[in-house]
Amino acid sequence: MKALRNTLLVFTIYTAIVGILFLFAPRVAESAFQTRLPDAALTMLYGQVALVIAFAAWLIWSDTAALHKMVWALVFAEAGHVVIFTWQLMNGVSTFAQVGPPMIIAAIFTVLFVVFNRKG
């Protein structure tokens, strides 16, 4: 269980950093992820969503018992991200460099949230 908690914490920190970059330093995010972010409004929104997911993951990591119902909303949100990123990749809308990392992170969060919900 400790390894799962550490893994969740690492992905929580990573997602928080991504959210901060997208929300407050989009040009730095472009350089870091080697991608162009043409829609400033959407980039800010994505940053805010990433920060909310990071915060929720941190709450789950901190073992707050009252969050078990909220976990399912996050599972569906993250699973939805995996489905959308996979569709974009398969249909040539985006490249793996663009959607691969967030797709992998979303898949890992989905699994971690389900496992944490069952352990609690």
Side-chain angles (χ1 to χ4, degrees):
M1 184 68 168
K2 184 170 174 113
L4 282 173
R5 288 180 57 78
N6 291 339
T7 304
L8 181 60
L9 183 59
V10 167
F11 284 102
T12 299
I13 292 167
Y14 174 82
T15 304
I17 291 168
V18 169
I20 290 166
L21 286 175
F22 274 59
L23 187 58
F24 299 110
R27 299 304 150 234
V28 175
E30 282 183 333
S31 296
F33 299 113
Q34 297 179 346
T35 189
R36 193 169 159 269
L37 303 171
D39 189 337
L42 215 53
T43 299
M44 290 178 70
L45 181 62
Y46 185 72
Q48 188 270 336
V49 168
L51 285 173
V52 168
I53 291 169
F55 179 62
W58 179 78
L59 290 173
I60 293 164
W61 173 83
S62 69
D63 206 22
T64 305
L67 300 173
H68 287 290
K69 288 183 179 180
M70 184 185 76
V71 169
W72 290 111
L74 292 170
V75 167
F76 287 111
E78 293 301 308
H81 290 148
V82 172
V83 169
I84 290 168
F85 289 139
T86 302
W87 181 87
Q88 289 178 349
L89 190 59
M90 291 174 56
N91 288 293
V93 173
S94 300
T95 66
F96 186 79
Q98 294 170 314
V99 299
M103 179 175 62
I104 292 167
I105 297 298
I108 291 169
F109 263 141
T110 301
V111 171
L112 287 172
F113 289 153
V114 169
V115 170
F116 266 77
N117 203 38
R118 288 187 180 167
K119 297 284 184 188

